[in-house]
Amino acid sequence: QVRLVESGGGSVQSGGSLRLSCVVSGYTYSRACMGWFRQAPGKEREGVGGWNTYGTDDYAASVKSRFTISQDNAKNTLYLQMNSLKPEDAAMYYCAASNTYYCRLLVASDNNYWGQGAQVTVSS
């Protein structure tokens, strides 16, 4: 059974930083296609950043140069480092994983497994 557990959410002031973690279990991490998504109240879920085992990554235009995905294979953990946070970055952030390592990055429907979410609040 695949399980994804996020942590690291919280409240920061505008310009601050947070790092989200997603611990993955029951998943073939060596052939992974994963991503981070977020959903603010009243808005659709959007892709923030995606990564696959073959080293390909992609980011939403709104977070490029501010957010970075990294991974620790030994810990089966995916990270999302968020710098220079803005009030518009406030949302529930979800970690997701696909059954196929060639999934389309940033596309929510290509993911089969989801974490419970981590709340990020950014005050101005």
Side-chain angles (χ1 to χ4, degrees):
Q1 181 180 358
V2 177
R3 189 171 182 225
L4 290 74
V5 180
E6 301 102 332
S7 62
S11 296
V12 296
Q13 289 190 331
S14 182
S17 298
L18 281 173
R19 188 178 77 159
L20 302 181
S21 300
C22 174
V23 178
V24 185
S25 60
Y27 184 63
T28 307
Y29 202 76
S30 60
R31 290 165 61 86
C33 187
M34 300 184 66
W36 288 95
F37 296 79
R38 67 186 181 188
Q39 188 167 20
K43 295 188 177 181
E44 292 190 358
R45 188 168 297 190
E46 64 171 341
V48 174
W51 167 86
N52 66 25
T53 303
Y54 297 94
T56 302
D57 61 15
D58 196 14
Y59 298 89
S62 60
V63 306
K64 271 184 180 176
S65 78
R66 299 188 297 121
F67 290 12
T68 304
I69 289 177
S70 62
Q71 57 285 325
D72 185 332
N73 290 346
K75 296 182 179 180
N76 281 1
T77 302
L78 189 73
Y79 301 99
L80 180 68
Q81 178 66 44
M82 304 184 292
N83 298 328
S84 301
L85 282 161
K86 304 175 182 180
E88 53 263 42
D89 293 319
M92 185 72 79
Y93 281 71
Y94 298 91
C95 175
S98 174
N99 273 334
T100 59
Y101 61 89
Y102 51 84
C103 76
R104 293 171 294 174
L105 300 179
L106 306 184
V107 177
S109 59
D110 274 22
N111 289 273
N112 305 92
Y113 309 103
W114 293 84
Q116 81 286 355
Q119 183 68 48
V120 172
T121 303
V122 185
S123 57
S124 56

